[in-house]
């Protein structure tokens, strides 16, 4: 009914807490047996943690859409004008932008403090020092 969240990718590692069955979590990367997760919204502080991948299942597109729409966003305002680019899929995407707080639709915080709206992880924040944190 719960999934242990561990400090490092080992069953011998300290358990930081757990996720409930059916809870949606974001995966940063997957190794042979473990998934690295961001737990900044899970009550464990802003850190990276690990869960065993055998207990995970991929969310449907509908579940992902519903999860993203339930997030609470403050009145984030851009620090400068908003620009756009066309990604490799031909989609119009907002360029990384500085905001006063986390804006709706942001997928990553870049190391230079801008928020990215990238639709894939490949190349995200590549001209902004890399990804500081996935949202």
């Amino acid at each position: 009914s719960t999934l242990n969240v561990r400090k490092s990718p080992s069953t011998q590692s300290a358990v930081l807490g757990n996720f409930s069955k059916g809870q949606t979590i974001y995966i940063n990367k997957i190794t042979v047996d473990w998934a690295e997760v961001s737990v900044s919204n899970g009550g464990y502080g802003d850190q990276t943690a690990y869960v065993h991948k055998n207990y995970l299942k991929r969310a449907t597109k509908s579940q992902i859409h519903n999860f993203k729409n339930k997030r609470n966003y403050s009145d984030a305002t851009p620090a400068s004008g908003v620009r756009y680019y066309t990604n490799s899929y031909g989609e119009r995407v907002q360029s990384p932008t500085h905001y006063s707080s986390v804006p709706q639709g942001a997928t990553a915080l870049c190391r230079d403090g801008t928020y990215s709206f990238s639709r894939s992880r490949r190349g995200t924040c590549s001209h902004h020092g890399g990804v500081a944190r996935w949202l």
Side-chain angles (χ1 to χ4, degrees), residues 45-132:
D46 189 13
Q47 61 183 309
T48 299
Y50 299 85
V51 295
H52 200 280
K53 75 174 192 175
N54 286 352
Y55 300 98
L56 302 175
K57 79 175 190 177
R58 184 176 300 274
T60 65
K61 286 185 179 183
S62 175
Q63 289 170 322
I64 292 169
H65 177 74
N66 290 337
F67 178 76
K68 287 182 177 179
N69 287 339
K70 288 181 183 176
R71 288 183 177 177
N72 293 322
Y73 295 95
S74 61
D75 294 330
T77 54
S80 61
V82 175
R83 296 183 350 216
Y84 294 85
Y85 67 95
T86 302
N87 68 11
S88 61
Y89 300 109
E91 302 167 319
R92 185 174 186 246
V93 180
Q94 183 176 328
S95 296
T97 309
H98 285 281
Y99 274 85
S100 57
S101 58
V102 181
Q104 186 168 1
T107 56
L109 173 63
C110 300
R111 291 184 195 264
D112 68 355
T114 57
Y115 287 94
S116 173
F117 299 84
S118 179
R119 302 243 168 85
S120 70
R121 291 193 173 216
R122 186 175 180 177
T124 298
C125 300
S126 60
H127 297 287
H128 299 270
V131 173

